[in-house]
């Protein structure tokens, strides 16, 4: 598996809304998100204004998702805005997807990946990263029965 897939694929799921990374200290940190995974309650995301979303990403999402990422890749540094929103995140106003490694719909449907490492990343993303990101955003996860839920293509483009 290429480093491009490793770097882009697992970092992409942070990609909804605004990102932290400014130097301004938040005047009041957002409320913590309760739960251990899977729930969609407890997230203030939908009610936050732009600055609140920026603070929530910086204070809650980035630290938590960096921690989750280290479950699969111990020692990984903390995530940064550009890791998920792309190098030009400011120019595109954090829009997602934004050039993140495109995923093959056929591979997602079949579970047939080019390597065992790709398969391991796909499992990690599906079982740990995506559910936790959905929870932090207060969204249900994507399923075939709920195609509007948070899923792979909130962050990744679709490969031809």
């Amino acid at each position: 598996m290429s480093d491009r897939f490793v770097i882009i694929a697992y970092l992409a799921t942070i990609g909804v809304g605004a990102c932290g990374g400014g130097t301004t200290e938040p005047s009041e940190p957002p409320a913590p998100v309760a739960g251990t995974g899977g729930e969609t309650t407890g997230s203030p995301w939908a009610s936050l204004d732009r600055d609140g979303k920026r603070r929530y990403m910086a204070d809650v999402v980035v630290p938590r998702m960096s921690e989750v990422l280290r479950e699969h890749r111990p020692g990984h540094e903390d995530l940064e805005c550009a890791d998920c929103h792309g190098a030009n995140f400011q120019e595109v106003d954090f829009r997602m997807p934004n050039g993140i490694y495109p995923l093959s719909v056929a591979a997602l449907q079949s579970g047939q990946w080019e390597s065992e490492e790709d398969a391991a990343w796909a499992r990690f993303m599906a079982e740990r990263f995506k559910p936790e990101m959905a929870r932090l955003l207060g969204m249900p996860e994507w399923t075939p029965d709920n195609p509007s839920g948070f899923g792979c293509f909130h962050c990744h483009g679709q490969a031809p």
Side-chain angles (χ1 to χ4, degrees), residues 10-11 14 58 61-70 73 75-84:
Y10 65 79
L11 298 176
I14 297 283
V61 175
V62 169
R64 176 63 187 137
M65 296 312 293
S66 294
E67 188 178 291
V68 171
L69 176 60
R70 283 189 282 274
R73 180 163 262 182
H76 195 282
E77 295 179 15
D78 284 348
L79 298 171
E80 297 179 2
C81 298
D83 292 327
C84 304

Side-chain angles (χ1 to χ4, degrees), residues 52-110:
K53 287 181 178 184
R54 184 199 60 79
R55 288 193 324 259
Y56 185 74
M57 289 295 282
D59 297 342
V60 177
V61 175
V62 169
R64 176 63 187 137
M65 296 312 293
S66 294
E67 188 178 291
V68 171
L69 176 60
R70 283 189 282 274
E71 292 173 15
H72 190 70
R73 180 163 262 182
H76 195 282
E77 295 179 15
D78 284 348
L79 298 171
E80 297 179 2
C81 298
D83 292 327
C84 304
H85 292 276
N88 65 340
F89 65 91
Q90 291 177 322
E91 289 84 14
V92 300
D93 198 28
F94 300 94
R95 178 185 45 82
M96 294 296 292
N98 178 31
I100 302 301
Y101 182 83
L103 298 176
S104 162
V105 173
L108 288 168
Q109 291 174 338
S110 70

